[in-house]
């Protein structure tokens, strides 16, 4: 079995890994680079069968529903079979309906925790992991008597930290190569600062809400289900109502988990912005707005504003302002803080300046600490570690060579998974 990293050996995001055995191949993720601007064309990697001209590509395995891991799939001329988590596929389907994603994925099969399946010469075993994306997996790939474990993106400090603990207790046996993300492994001299956990975010948001007399906006990804739970729990603890738009409500419902905040929960309301009302009307999917007592209309938002928390995205700013919600509001920024700095702040900066809002950052990373990376290497005891999804790959030998061998491979280079 041999491997080629197409993107990710020297960068965070845009992950794509080709694995070949007996003339057949699978792709582990097919992501869009994070630095690719909106509308910018990104060429597909040179993978035999990706253009549909041969049957050598047996499948594209998507570890989780973040664009930097699936974003080039819509560019595939004749899509190879796609495999991903069932809830992840539903989330992407909802994103496509609301225009937050470019395609509706139709998987050939679903990934399920520790349930192996075969694709030609490959045996694939997904391992559910803790990550800021819902329904995320690491992937064990076996062929020709060799075993590659690809972490995808993971962490050990989210609401699903028990999954990381289980992986440490019950790791796959005899891993030859661990292909491990290192988002938080930076170049020498760089520092990410103290790490917050998802529990920290909930606690700090609760304290913030207790101090605020008026409306609070929380800027966050609607697809960050862990964060939704944290925000809802903080609202409940401070006797506030959580108000989400129809898209956020649809994503939460797409998880299929009755424990996720959704219509029917006390202290949870859903409003439908104008653009979303048009989408529902044009698609004639009127059941989407049958929300029972959870629905609240835009003209009612100002009546509950002072005891509410509103999920916020820049695209909702104008309508929330017209509804009288934004005046004297505080904004909690629960996203990567880099989005508040040039050039990433182009969409949010005019809103902040117009309303004289200074955001308060309450966020935690979706990626493992160096300490947790070391814990994983110690639990798996792989024969080799290969870095991916990192800017600090040159630090891997210093961090892990006391435990195992570290191999550095460049994008585009083939290498063998050796026992």
């Amino acid at each position: 079995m041999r491997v080629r990293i197409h993107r990710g050996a020297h960068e965070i995001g845009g992950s794509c890994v080709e694995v070949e055995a007996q003339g057949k191949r699978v792709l582990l993720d097919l992501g869009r680079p994070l630095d690719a601007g909106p509308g910018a064309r990104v060429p597909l990697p040179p993978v035999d069968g990706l253009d549909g001209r041969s049957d050598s590509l047996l499948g594209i395995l998507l570890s989780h529903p973040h664009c930097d891991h699936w974003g080039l799939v819509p560019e595939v001329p004749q899509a190879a079979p796609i495999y991903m988590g069932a809830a992840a596929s539903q989330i992407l389907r909802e994103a496509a309906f609301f225009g937050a994603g470019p395609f509706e994925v139709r998987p050939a099969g679903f990934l399920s925790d520790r349930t192996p399946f075969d694709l030609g010469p490959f045996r694939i075993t997904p391992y559910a992991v803790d990550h800021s994306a819902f329904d995320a997996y690491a992937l064990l790939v076996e062929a020709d008597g060799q075993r590659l474990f690809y972490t995808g993106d993971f962490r050990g400090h989210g609401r699903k930290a028990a999954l990381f603990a289980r992986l440490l207790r019950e790791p796959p046996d005899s891993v030859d190569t661990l292909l491990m993300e290192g988002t938080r492994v930076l170049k020498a001299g760089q520092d990410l600062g103290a790490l917050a956990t998802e529990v920290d975010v909930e606690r700090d948001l609760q304290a913030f809400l207790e101090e605020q007399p008026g409306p609070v906006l929380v800027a966050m990804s609607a697809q960050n289900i862990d964060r939704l739970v944290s925000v809802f729990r903080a609202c409940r603890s401070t006797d506030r109502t959580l108000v989400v738009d129809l898209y956020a409500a649809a994503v939460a419902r797409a998880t299929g988990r009755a424990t996720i905040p959704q219509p029917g929960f006390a202290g949870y309301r859903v409003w439908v912005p104008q653009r979303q009302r048009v989408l529902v009307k044009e698609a004639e999917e009127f059941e989407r707005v049958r929300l029972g007592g959870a629905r609240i209309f835009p003209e009612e938002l100002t009546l509950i504003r002072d005891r509410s928390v509103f999920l916020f995205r820049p695209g909702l700013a104008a309508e929330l302002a017209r509804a009288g919600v934004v005046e004297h509001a505080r904004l909690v920024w629960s996203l990567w803080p880099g989005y508040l700095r040039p050039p990433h702040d182009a969409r949010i900066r005019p809103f902040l300046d117009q309303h004289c809002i200074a955001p308060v950052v309450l966020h935690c990373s979706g990626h493992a600490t160096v300490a947790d990376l070391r814990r994983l290497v110690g639990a798996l005891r792989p024969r080799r570690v290969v870095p991916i999804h990192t800017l600090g790959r040159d630090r891997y030998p210093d961090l892990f060579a006391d435990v195992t061998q570290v191999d550095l491979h460049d994008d585009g280079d083939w290498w063998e998974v050796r026992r």
Side-chain angles (χ1 to χ4, degrees):
M1 180 165 62
R2 62 178 190 153
V3 180
R4 175 166 58 166
I5 300 172
H6 286 282
R7 186 178 291 111
H10 299 272
E11 66 186 280
I12 296 170
S15 295
C16 181
V17 180
E18 180 181 1
V19 185
E20 189 270 339
Q22 301 175 32
K24 300 296 184 180
R25 63 203 73 240
V26 293
L27 281 185
L28 311 180
D29 290 330
L30 185 57
R32 184 175 175 83
L34 291 174
D35 60 0
R41 184 182 179 279
V42 178
L44 290 171
V47 177
D48 186 42
L50 196 55
D51 58 3
R53 295 176 183 175
S54 79
D55 60 0
S56 66
L57 181 60
L58 301 181
I60 302 172
L61 310 174
L62 302 180
S63 62
H64 64 276
H66 276 164
C67 189
D68 65 322
H69 289 256
W70 64 260
L72 293 186
V73 172
E75 307 301 323
V76 178
Q78 294 182 344
I82 295 171
Y83 299 84
M84 65 189 308
S89 72
Q90 290 293 337
I91 288 170
L92 289 186
R93 184 169 291 127
E94 293 299 333
F97 177 83
F98 287 97
F103 79 120
E104 181 176 332
V105 64
R106 297 184 182 277
F110 296 115
L111 306 180
S112 182
D113 186 30
R114 301 185 185 233
T115 302
F117 63 98
D118 296 325
L119 289 176
F122 302 100
R123 167 149 287 204
I124 313 295
T125 306
Y127 285 74
V129 295
D130 179 24
H131 185 44
S132 52
F134 194 80
D135 202 20
Y137 296 89
L139 298 166
L140 177 65
V141 182
E142 302 174 77
D144 298 338
Q146 299 156 343
R147 295 160 68 87
L148 170 77
F149 191 77
Y150 169 62
T151 64
D153 290 354
F154 76 103
R155 63 182 176 180
H157 55 270
R159 293 202 166 273
K160 301 178 290 297
L163 293 174
F164 180 62
R166 184 187 178 195
L167 183 58
L168 297 180
R169 289 193 316 269
E170 305 170 19
D173 297 327
S174 304
V175 171
D176 297 306
T177 298
L178 172 60
L179 184 56
M180 184 173 68
E181 76 119 311
T183 306
R184 294 184 65 84
V185 180
L186 300 183
K187 297 177 181 178
Q190 294 180 322
D191 183 14
L192 283 169
L195 175 79
T197 70
E198 199 64 47
V199 172
D200 293 333
V201 172
E202 178 188 336
R203 180 200 62 215
D204 292 348
L205 179 59
Q206 178 180 336
F208 180 83
L209 295 179
E210 288 172 347
E211 298 173 354
Q212 302 308 314
V216 173
L217 312 175
V218 176
M220 56 166 283
S221 167
Q223 296 186 30
N224 189 340
I225 302 301
D226 275 18
R227 189 61 40 81
L228 174 70
V229 173
S230 296
V231 173
F232 181 73
R233 287 170 59 91
C235 287
R236 188 171 59 183
S237 298
T238 55
D239 196 29
R240 283 180 178 254
T241 297
L242 176 61
V243 182
V244 307
D245 66 302
L246 185 63
Y247 165 57
V251 168
R253 191 158 45 194
T255 65
R257 301 287 182 86
T259 55
I260 302 299
Q262 55 195 283
F265 278 49
Y268 180 98
R269 305 295 296 274
V270 182
W271 71 291
V272 188
Q274 172 65 21
R275 181 177 175 276
Q276 295 176 11
R277 294 198 296 271
V278 171
L279 288 173
V280 168
K281 180 178 179 180
E282 290 178 345
E284 298 185 353
E285 295 189 15
F286 300 109
E287 69 282 355
R288 288 181 174 275
V289 294
R290 297 190 180 111
L291 302 166
R295 184 168 183 183
I296 185 169
F297 291 87
E299 58 269 23
E300 300 175 280
L301 294 180
T302 188
L303 302 178
I304 65 167
R305 64 189 293 274
D306 290 340
R307 293 303 305 166
S308 295
V309 170
F310 300 84
L311 291 199
F312 174 84
R313 298 187 302 279
L316 303 176
E319 199 158 346
L320 285 173
R322 287 195 296 271
V325 168
V326 171
E327 188 176 1
H328 304 303
R330 297 296 304 276
L331 174 65
V332 172
W333 190 261
S334 205
L335 294 160
W336 178 54
Y339 291 134
L340 291 173
R341 299 189 291 268
H344 308 289
D345 64 344
R347 291 191 68 200
I348 189 64
R349 184 55 53 188
F351 169 79
L352 298 178
D353 292 344
Q354 178 184 355
H355 297 281
C356 301
I357 292 176
V360 175
V361 177
L362 296 177
H363 183 54
C364 76
S365 174
H367 301 274
T369 62
V370 170
D372 281 344
L373 295 178
R374 284 185 55 84
R375 292 172 69 194
L376 182 65
V377 173
L380 268 66
R381 292 287 173 176
R383 290 177 172 84
R384 292 170 180 80
V385 169
V386 175
I388 192 172
H389 203 279
T390 183
L391 295 175
R393 74 174 202 147
D394 292 339
R395 293 188 59 207
Y396 270 57
D398 293 336
L399 294 172
F400 306 111
D402 63 324
V403 182
T404 188
Q405 179 175 325
V406 174
D407 291 349
L408 303 182
H409 297 291
D410 292 325
D411 290 344
D413 291 347
W414 283 107
W415 44 274
E416 299 284 340
V417 176
R418 301 190 304 275
R419 294 198 62 79

